[in-house]
Structure formats: structure tokens, C-alpha cells
Amino acid sequence: KAGVTQTPRYLIKTRGQQVTLSCSPISGHRSVSWYQQTPGQGLQFLFEYFSETQRNKGNFPGRFSGRQFSNSRSEMNVSTLELGDSALYLCASSPDREQFFGPGTRLTVL
Amino acid sequence: DQQVKQNSPSLSVQEGRISILNCDYTNSMFDYFLWYKKYPAEGPTFLISISSIKDKNEDGRFTVFLNKSAKHLSLHIVPSQPGDSAVYFCAARSMNSGGYQKVTFGIGTKLQVIP
């Protein structure tokens, strides 16, 4: 089976812009979670989607949003980017308790 | 409020010796614990897990120990190999009021195995 794929792998934006990141889960996995990884903060949970519904949400401002499509592919959007949004954004798909991660999208905000 | 804590940011071990990575948690509602390994430029990969009803789980060179009373778990790697050099994340699962799981990660411990 193909693994979790994320596009793009690298992205450079400026403050105030918005960005959309994409994640394609492993075939058959209906749960997709998003995490933000920054140095010293580990993986911070953003949200989880299952069958196009958001089931769980972390403590991030409303500028961070997501959605899931009927084919389980998911997108994450960040509006009005801030310098502190620079991070590695990881997507994970899951059939049960274990999560399978994609390689991440490295976002740099200048 | 860090519910999963990995207090050692880094650890160096000689090849062939034991590596012990530690993790503490504060939320007594966690019912399942996992360890992930992450190499640079890759996403984390699942390594080993343990249910809260057990105190030990072993998989080859990897063993996870859980001490519920102390809210502490540890990952033992024996013998350590240079290929084990990576960042190790401790993670814990809880269920929200809707019955859906949420996984909380620690900040990671960077393990270096010296040949």
C-alpha cells in the first residue's frame, strides 16, 4: 500500500498570506489527523477528521481550519499567516490506534 | 499544560548498550501509550505500544514498561544500534466525550547511538 502523502513538501509564504496544505491518507483509512511540530513543542494536535466530519480539535486559533473530502483526502488551511506559524505540519491517517504519518510540509513564514 | 513529558531532550549511548528513554504523564484518563521514532525529513513511524492494563510489552529489541502508579513509562532498546539514532516521541491516547480518540505527544528525545 502507498503511504501517506503530503503536498507540497516545502512552502515559503509571507506574513498575512494564507496557505492550503494537502494530505492523502493510506487507502482504506478514514481518520486523518493534523499536527504542528515546532522545536521544543513536539507534535501539537490540530484536528482530526473522520468521514468528512471533524471529531476532535486542539487548542489552535480559528485561523487554522481543515476539511476532509469523500475520498478521505484532507486539506488544512491557515489564514493570515504569522511568523510563529513556521513549522513542520504533519498529517497522519489511522485505521485504529496506531497512526501512520506522512513526511510533512515544511512551512516557512517570512 | 504538557500532559506528556519527556524531560530528557537528548541521550547518547554506546552501540551495544541499553538505551532507556523516559516519559511521564499527568492525565489519568490516558488508556493507551505509544512510542514513535522520527528520522530527519521523514514523518514519525510507529514503534511499539502498550495498553494501560499491562505493565510491559516487548517487541524484539524494544520493550516498553508502564508504571501506572507513578504515571511513568519507559522505552528500552537492547542492544542499541547506530540505526536507532533518531528522535523518539512518547504519545498517549485518551477518548473525548464523543468516544473519539485524541493522541497527545511529548516533545521528543533525540537518541544518538555512538558506534
Side-chain angles (χ1 to χ4, degrees), chain A residues 29-35 44-59 65-68 72 74-76 90-99, chain B residues 93-96 98-103:
Chain A
H29 291 187
R30 291 194 289 167
S31 167
V32 174
S33 298
W34 288 89
Y35 295 86
Q44 302 286 307
F45 173 73
L46 281 153
F47 26 67
E48 185 222 0
Y49 286 88
F50 184 91
S51 293
E52 302 178 66
T53 301
Q54 187 181 88
R55 296 201 302 193
N56 253 315
K57 191 175 188 306
N59 298 323
S65 63
R67 59 178 176 169
Q68 187 181 32
S72 292
S74 178
E75 286 182 349
M76 191 193 95
L90 291 159
C91 164
S93 74
S94 174
D96 188 11
R97 290 175 291 197
E98 297 160 19
Q99 293 180 305
Chain B
R93 184 189 83 158
S94 58
M95 308 297 281
N96 70 3
Y100 303 126
Q101 71 174 9
K102 176 183 174 183
V103 180

Side-chain angles (χ1 to χ4, degrees), chain B residues 4-59:
Chain B
V4 177
K5 301 176 185 178
Q6 294 179 259
N7 293 318
S8 298
S10 63
L11 176 68
S12 285
V13 172
Q14 285 292 133
E15 180 179 4
R17 307 293 286 267
I18 183 171
S19 295
I20 300 176
L21 294 95
N22 293 303
C23 178
D24 297 296
Y25 63 95
T26 57
N27 188 346
S28 57
M29 300 304 293
F30 289 142
D31 66 347
Y32 199 74
F33 302 89
L34 310 97
W35 284 93
Y36 286 83
K37 179 168 74 172
K38 185 180 185 299
Y39 293 118
E42 295 181 12
T45 55
F46 169 74
L47 194 57
I48 192 170
S49 62
I50 188 168
S51 166
S52 61
I53 62 173
K54 297 191 173 182
D55 54 19
K56 177 182 174 182
N57 187 27
E58 193 172 348
D59 183 3

Side-chain angles (χ1 to χ4, degrees), chain A:
Chain A
K1 276 186 178 177
V4 178
T5 57
Q6 291 187 247
T7 55
R9 291 293 309 277
Y10 301 92
L11 206 48
I12 299 175
K13 292 284 188 179
T14 56
R15 278 183 301 173
Q17 287 187 308
Q18 75 161 14
V19 66
T20 298
L21 312 181
S22 181
C23 171
S24 291
I26 292 173
S27 177
H29 291 187
R30 291 194 289 167
S31 167
V32 174
S33 298
W34 288 89
Y35 295 86
Q36 180 195 66
Q37 185 189 6
T38 54
Q41 292 294 318
L43 276 71
Q44 302 286 307
F45 173 73
L46 281 153
F47 26 67
E48 185 222 0
Y49 286 88
F50 184 91
S51 293
E52 302 178 66
T53 301
Q54 187 181 88
R55 296 201 302 193
N56 253 315
K57 191 175 188 306
N59 298 323
F60 278 80
R63 300 186 296 106
F64 292 80
S65 63
R67 59 178 176 169
Q68 187 181 32
F69 302 94
S70 58
N71 61 359
S72 292
R73 189 177 70 84
S74 178
E75 286 182 349
M76 191 193 95
N77 184 275
V78 188
S79 63
T80 320
L81 284 165
E82 300 176 0
L83 295 179
D85 296 333
S86 294
L88 180 67
Y89 290 88
L90 291 159
C91 164
S93 74
S94 174
D96 188 11
R97 290 175 291 197
E98 297 160 19
Q99 293 180 305
F100 296 82
F101 285 84
T105 294
R106 171 73 64 184
L107 171 65
T108 302
V109 182
L110 302 176

